[in-house]
Amino acid sequence: MLFKDVIGQVDTKQHLLEIGKSGNIPHSQLFLSQPGAGALALALAFTQYVVCENKSDNDSCGVCGACVKAQKMIHPDIHYTYPIIAKKPSPHPSLSTDYIAEWRKEIIANPYINELEFLQAIGAENKQGNISADEARNILNGLKLTTFEAKYKIQIIWMAEALSKEGNILLKLLEEPPENTLLILIAENQEEILPTILSRCQVVKVNKIEDDAIADELLKKGVPANKAKHIAYLADGNFNDALKLIDATSSIETIRLTELLKYSIRLQEGTNSGALVKWSDDMSKIGRENLKSFLEYVLHILRETLQLKFAPNTQIRLTDDEQKTAQALLKYTNLNKISDLLELISKKHYEIERNVNPKMVLMDLSLKLNQIIHTKD
Ligand SMILES: [Zn+2]
């Protein structure tokens, strides 16, 4: 992982770059992190920087052999320990590497993942994850070997809370590590770390990610600006939560949009418009910011629908549910109608911004949307 791909954390990155360059790296570090703040991402960026064969002042090169291996998490001198459950039946002592394939897959997909999610990914169900005494001994033995390719042998221990008393096996290692050995422990709860371990490590505090940095990252993922800001606010510095909120809000908004279209498509002249009135009424209560975010979402769906129709080979940013909505729109509308809808929704967004009464805006929106959909071509 490159430093530039770690979200926010400007000061911590700078600190790690400095010690990475200095050649005077502390043997034992503890990254003490707020949940979802990216301690593992920082550790991955730092270790890659240490092994990179062509680093610049600000980052790893990303393309040398060592970088490529670090990115795939297959560098022979970077080792990972993380909580697991025992595989059954287990032919040998339970080690983190029993799940190395799952570990690489999950962490490469999302280095901000939390322990519970990782344990679910390896099928732990209700069982608690553990770093066993066998694993701790395995770390000791592994670090006795000489390095393969890099100057340093590096051991990352993710969620070091799971070490419990097994941590004592590592005390001597933490105190007097073999030459050219780096240990990076990552934890979220200082109280759950053995004091004997804590006192032997140089602590790197990893604070919450700033809201702006999270919002910027969400923008890059195609989340509309207003929604990105709102999610960043709700996530409160936890990027993993922010990732979950994208789907959560988008599914609420998908439901709202699907209802609107369903009621409108069903509505024939002379039939009861009660469902649309009720929809406008409910929506007028969700608050101005949520309403703006909903309208931005509708604009996003309309644009992607056009894309789906006229440039199907480009990247379409729609979930499966949204694809269904887009197909329904294509069935009942055409290019002119979608342009009219885009104009209508933009106008309503503007009115909401200008503090026009939401109920009036929404009643008008549902009437006009209805007219557009039902006008004969
Ligand atoms: Zn490199």
Side-chain angles (χ1 to χ4, degrees):
M1 187 161 188
L2 295 172
F3 274 114
K4 77 170 177 55
D5 294 328
V6 178
I7 302 160
Q9 305 296 4
V10 178
D11 294 343
T12 313
K13 282 186 208 174
Q14 200 50 45
H15 166 72
L16 292 175
L17 281 165
E18 292 303 327
I19 59 172
K21 275 180 275 187
S22 71
N24 191 14
I25 307 173
H27 292 297
S28 306
Q29 299 185 81
L30 171 64
F31 288 20
L32 206 50
S33 182
Q34 294 290 324
L40 179 58
L42 285 163
L44 295 176
F46 178 68
T47 49
Q48 182 169 334
Y49 190 71
V50 170
V51 298
C52 175
E53 294 149 7
N54 194 20
K55 51 180 147 278
S56 71
D57 273 356
N58 304 316
D59 218 329
S60 316
C61 76
V63 292
C64 70
C67 275
V68 171
K69 285 178 199 162
Q71 273 153 195
K72 291 186 183 161
M73 304 178 81
I74 53 170
H75 195 290
D77 294 317
I78 306 176
H79 304 272
Y80 308 95
T81 285
Y82 37 88
I84 54 155
I85 50 160
K87 268 198 174 169
K88 286 205 169 118
S90 177
H92 57 73
S94 284
L95 302 174
S96 294
T97 47
D98 293 349
Y99 295 94
I100 187 70
E102 291 89 341
W103 168 254
R104 287 178 185 140
K105 177 169 168 267
E106 295 300 322
I107 301 307
I108 289 171
N110 176 19
Y112 293 81
I113 192 174
N114 67 30
E115 183 184 358
L116 188 66
E117 287 164 342
F118 176 69
L119 289 169
Q120 294 310 306
I122 63 168
E125 288 168 9
N126 297 324
K127 287 182 220 112
Q128 217 184 336
N130 178 39
I131 296 176
S132 64
D134 287 327
E135 175 69 18
R137 278 184 219 105
N138 193 53
I139 293 174
L140 286 183
N141 292 333
L143 293 178
K144 276 181 202 151
L145 304 170
T146 54
T147 62
F148 290 97
E149 295 173 6
K151 180 179 171 197
Y152 292 99
K153 228 173 168 48
I154 307 171
Q155 173 73 49
I156 292 178
I157 304 179
W158 185 58
M159 302 313 289
E161 293 94 332
L163 270 167
S164 59
K165 64 181 191 313
E166 280 74 28
N168 285 319
I169 297 171
L170 299 176
L171 287 186
K172 195 158 175 333
L173 177 68
L174 289 163
E175 203 153 60
E176 292 170 56
E179 216 186 341
N180 294 334
T181 301
L182 303 178
L183 279 145
I184 300 173
L185 283 67
I186 297 169
E188 290 177 358
N189 301 299
Q190 183 167 344
E191 314 81 61
E192 291 176 32
I193 298 289
L194 293 173
T196 43
I197 288 190
L198 199 60
S199 65
R200 285 166 173 80
C201 291
Q202 181 147 333
V203 174
V204 177
K205 286 229 156 121
V206 182
N207 298 319
K208 286 179 186 179
I209 308 171
E210 308 77 9
D211 284 4
D212 287 351
I214 290 189
D216 283 350
E217 190 65 24
L218 295 176
L219 276 179
K220 282 189 221 155
K221 290 183 180 294
V223 178
N226 227 39
K227 184 170 158 188
K229 237 175 156 172
H230 187 58
I231 291 177
Y233 169 74
L234 292 175
D236 192 22
N238 181 329
F239 186 67
N240 195 40
D241 279 357
L243 286 175
K244 275 179 267 172
L245 284 165
I246 300 177
D247 290 340
T249 26
S250 111
S251 63
I252 280 181
E253 289 174 333
T254 313
I255 293 165
R256 286 170 174 160
L257 173 60
T258 317
E259 284 176 346
L260 171 64
L261 292 173
K262 188 170 70 188
Y263 300 146
S264 183
I265 288 165
R266 266 194 211 154
L267 190 68
Q268 302 292 329
E269 252 179 317
T271 58
N272 194 340
S273 60
L276 267 183
V277 176
K278 172 86 170 58
W279 181 90
S280 310
D281 206 34
D282 288 349
M283 287 296 286
S284 68
K285 292 172 194 151
I286 66 172
R288 211 168 279 277
E289 286 308 310
N290 285 334
L291 201 49
K292 271 162 63 184
S293 153
F294 171 72
L295 294 173
E296 282 162 23
Y297 172 73
V298 178
L299 289 171
H300 159 72
I301 295 292
L302 290 170
R303 287 189 204 109
E304 293 294 314
T305 303
L306 283 178
Q307 190 103 336
L308 191 66
K309 172 84 178 162
F310 298 103
N313 295 328
T314 54
Q315 199 191 4
I316 310 286
R317 293 184 311 231
L318 295 174
T319 65
D320 290 351
D321 277 355
E322 291 168 345
Q323 293 252 8
K324 284 183 205 148
T325 307
Q327 296 298 351
L329 268 167
L330 288 173
K331 191 171 165 200
Y332 290 96
T333 62
N334 54 31
L335 175 59
N336 288 338
K337 288 184 176 188
I338 293 183
S339 309
D340 290 348
L341 287 174
L342 277 165
E343 199 179 313
L344 171 70
I345 303 294
S346 305
K347 188 159 169 250
K348 294 301 150 194
H349 184 272
Y350 177 78
E351 289 173 5
I352 291 292
E353 223 162 30
R354 300 301 295 255
N355 286 324
V356 180
N357 179 307
K359 209 164 171 174
M360 281 173 57
V361 174
L362 287 161
M363 276 312 292
D364 193 53
L365 181 145
S366 59
L367 280 174
K368 296 228 165 84
L369 177 126
N370 209 35
Q371 283 166 5
I372 294 171
I373 288 183
H374 291 286
T375 312
K376 296 264 181 308
D377 301 330

